[in-house]
Amino acid sequence: QVQLVESGAEVKKPGASVMLSCKASGYAFTSHYLHWVRQAPGQGLEWMGMLNPFGGSTTYAQKFQGRVTMTRDTSTSTVYMELSSLTSEDTAVYYCARGFSGEMAFDIWGQGTMVTVSS
Amino acid sequence: QSALTQPRSVSGSPGQSVTISCTGTSSDFGGYNYVSWYQHHPGKAPKLMIYDVSKWPSGVPDRFSGSKSGNTASLAISGLQAEDEADYYCCSYAGSYTWVFGGGTKLTVL
């Protein structure tokens, strides 16, 4: 079946970087955008950026520009999201999500990865 | 971009109807009819409930319906059921391959 499987929980110190992965299966990897969305404790969903697996182009939310990098490996149908210069405010659950309906909505979501930033 | 504005909470009794609003600016909605709604139970992945303002993905009951007028989108839920209790988020395409979510609304089924 169509699914996105994310990497496991991470604990990082302030100032460090974290790289998360999202492995797609059950569909043509290059046919749908992949997005990253996060939810900090007690907060709402926040769109971080997207990657087009076909050519690798990316768009990032202004808030994260300069600090986030999204890449993909088409041989393994995996998308990566690296976030640098972590602070406690980056403590959150991070989701990857597949684009749907002309890529304008998100129909399949990963299980979420908890990232904790703490000294 | 600022988050789209949603009420923090709404409530209703089983069988009743509720509506959740989602307000933005013309730049948030970008003049596009690409508003989607997500149901989010704590500890689970969000679920797509409505896309392109008013369309249903496969498997979503038609008790859920969406609409948009000007810079306000709405999600209506009729025949409330206990399992509808969750957080609901609107999301809009904002142009230039960017998206923005609403702040979220907690639905309580009394």
Side-chain angles (χ1 to χ4, degrees), chain A residues 6 13 16-17 21 25 27 31 38 41 53 71 78 82-83 85 95 107 110:
Chain A
E6 301 183 41
K13 293 193 182 303
S17 297
S21 67
S25 62
Y27 73 96
S31 296
R38 77 178 187 180
T71 57
T78 302
E82 181 175 27
L83 188 62
S85 303
Y95 296 98
D107 64 337

Side-chain angles (χ1 to χ4, degrees), chain A residues 87-110:
Chain A
T87 72
S88 58
E89 295 189 353
D90 294 313
T91 294
V93 176
Y94 289 76
Y95 296 98
C96 58
R98 189 183 79 160
F100 171 74
S101 179
E103 310 306 319
M104 291 301 159
F106 319 126
D107 64 337
I108 305 296
W109 293 67

Side-chain angles (χ1 to χ4, degrees), chain A residues 33 35 37 39 42-47 50 59-62 95 100-107 109-112, chain B residues 1 34 36 38 40 43-48 50-52 55 57 87 89 91 93 96-103:
Chain A
Y33 297 167
H35 302 257
V37 176
Q39 183 179 37
Q43 303 298 311
L45 299 177
E46 181 175 32
W47 183 81
M50 56 78 67
T59 305
Y60 305 133
Q62 192 170 5
Y95 296 98
F100 171 74
S101 179
E103 310 306 319
M104 291 301 159
F106 319 126
D107 64 337
W109 293 67
Q111 81 276 20
Chain B
Q1 288 152 327
Y34 294 134
S36 51
Y38 301 86
H40 192 200
K44 292 192 168 185
K47 177 184 177 182
L48 176 65
I50 294 287
Y51 68 98
D52 292 358
K55 298 179 181 177
D87 297 321
Y89 293 88
C91 181
Y93 178 66
S96 301
Y97 296 96
T98 66
W99 281 256
V100 60
F101 279 95

Side-chain angles (χ1 to χ4, degrees), chain B residues 43-74:
Chain B
K44 292 192 168 185
K47 177 184 177 182
L48 176 65
M49 304 301 286
I50 294 287
Y51 68 98
D52 292 358
V53 174
S54 59
K55 298 179 181 177
W56 292 277
S58 174
V60 172
D62 59 7
R63 299 188 297 106
F64 294 83
S65 62
S67 62
K68 178 172 173 274
S69 178
N71 290 331
T72 298
S74 298

